[in-house]
Amino acid sequence: MTQQTINAIGLTKADYRGAPSTLCAGCGHDSVASQIITAAFELSLQPHTVIRMSGIGCSSKSAAYFLGRSHGFNSLHGRMPSVTTGAHLANHTLRPLAVSGDGDTASIGLGQFIHLLRRNVPIVYIVENNGVYGLTKGQFSATADEGQELKHAGVNHLPPIDVCTEAILAGCGFVARSFAGDAKQVRELIKAAFNFHGAAVIDVISPCVTFNNHDRSTKSYTYGKTHESPLHDISFIPHYEEVTVDYEPGEVRDVQLHDGPVIRLRKLSHDHDPSNRMAALQLLEQARASGEFVTGLIYLNEQRPTLAETLSIGPTPIAALPEDRLRPTREAFAAVMADLTRER
């Protein structure tokens, strides 16, 4: 019998798996789920400290395929951000891991997505972006390419919403884009996002092999493989590993996150500073105009407080407070009512 590798807390990779996938064979979402499992194993995450959150769609189904020993909540279409906000306020010691889609996030859920980010709920928010509603047979989503043509949906005449641009404008401090076919980059970005102090968004182009995988689509495997232009070769270094530099000066940049972990960026074809907000927005616009598929860490800013910090919620989660801290006495309630009803 082959001995299974265990991580720092004594768990195997199998301990981070979920139910068998029921998605179409070759779906990019399964690749993302696989990298979530690997990232969680390599980070030695305690499954019970994670809340899996999802909405409705093929992407939200995939939340059942990883971290089966963690908490989980499958919410309504586009409503996952508000449910996650409530869960965070009730128990801020748990880390939400949300998996959503381009319809769930950029269409019906766009308003909730933006408010989640402006409040800076500390969440790892993965958008599995394929440009179509795969669960309801291939209608265009809000991220579909302008001029895109599908067999059953006709031609899309509307411009796409860029999830990364919207995230930066909403105040999100960790914004990245990747491709489901680039397993290493997806995995390293997920590991970095888990150690970011605040909301972290990863927009993963995840091809729908059934409805939107033709060569002209920017959400297809062919387009992703031939057009992907990584900003850098990204590696995540946990704080318990020694940080070393093996490259010439100017080729590597180490970005330290909250409590010690480091993201190591090795520049490839772009000279991009992820700490520059305007440069990040300009990069996305230039990539859109030129048809370039830029991937990697696009923007990083860890200066904002989280929602729990903004509201001065103490170290004890609200869910763990005793009843006498949550329920006012009759006398206290009467005093509040008297103050509200007295003439001013």
Side-chain angles (χ1 to χ4, degrees), residues 257-280:
L257 298 181
H258 182 71
D259 290 339
V262 172
I263 300 175
R264 171 157 297 161
L265 306 176
R266 180 165 63 86
K267 292 182 182 178
L268 297 178
S269 58
H270 291 265
D271 184 16
H272 175 59
D273 177 7
S275 66
N276 188 323
R277 186 170 185 263
M278 292 307 298

Side-chain angles (χ1 to χ4, degrees), residues 109-336:
L110 182 60
Q112 297 220 356
F113 173 66
I114 289 173
H115 287 294
L116 176 88
L117 301 182
R118 63 182 284 267
R119 291 171 179 143
N120 201 24
V121 175
I123 182 175
V124 177
Y125 194 122
I126 300 174
V127 182
E128 295 178 336
N129 187 348
N130 56 25
V132 295
Y133 288 97
L135 198 61
T136 53
K137 311 307 179 190
Q139 300 93 335
F140 295 116
S141 81
T143 67
D145 306 323
E146 187 172 5
Q148 181 178 336
E149 186 173 357
L150 294 177
K151 181 178 180 181
H152 300 292
V155 178
N156 175 45
H157 299 289
L158 301 176
I161 288 176
D162 189 310
V163 171
C164 290
T165 298
E166 297 296 335
I168 295 172
L169 292 174
C172 183
F174 183 112
V175 180
R177 173 165 285 147
S178 194
F179 173 55
D182 190 341
K184 177 182 182 295
Q185 187 188 64
V186 172
R187 180 175 65 253
E188 297 303 310
L189 286 171
I190 291 172
K191 288 159 69 175
F194 262 113
N195 283 271
F196 180 73
H197 189 63
V201 170
I202 308 175
D203 178 32
V204 182
I205 304 304
S206 179
C208 175
V209 293
T210 301
F211 295 109
N212 195 20
N213 196 36
H214 57 86
D215 292 348
R216 297 186 306 279
S217 170
T218 63
K219 309 295 190 296
S220 68
Y221 276 113
T222 301
Y223 188 93
K225 286 293 186 182
T226 57
H227 290 80
E228 183 183 13
S229 180
L231 296 171
H232 32 244
D233 181 19
I234 184 170
S235 299
F236 175 77
I237 305 170
H239 66 276
Y240 50 78
E241 294 182 11
E242 181 183 2
V243 178
T244 58
V245 178
D246 298 323
Y247 309 102
E248 294 295 325
E251 292 184 343
V252 171
R253 177 177 180 184
D254 286 353
V255 181
Q256 187 163 342
L257 298 181
H258 182 71
D259 290 339
V262 172
I263 300 175
R264 171 157 297 161
L265 306 176
R266 180 165 63 86
K267 292 182 182 178
L268 297 178
S269 58
H270 291 265
D271 184 16
H272 175 59
D273 177 7
S275 66
N276 188 323
R277 186 170 185 263
M278 292 307 298
L281 291 169
Q282 185 177 16
L283 174 74
L284 291 169
E285 177 57 24
Q286 289 175 342
R288 183 202 62 78
S290 63
E292 188 177 13
F293 178 30
V294 171
T295 64
L297 182 61
I298 296 170
Y299 182 60
L300 183 68
N301 173 20
E302 208 176 14
Q303 302 305 311
R304 293 185 62 207
T306 65
L307 179 60
E309 292 167 343
T310 299
L311 298 178
S312 300
I313 296 177
T316 302
I318 294 175
L321 291 174
E323 185 176 354
D324 61 353
R325 295 278 305 279
L326 295 172
R327 184 176 181 178
T329 63
R330 183 182 296 275
E331 294 75 20
F333 184 74
V336 171

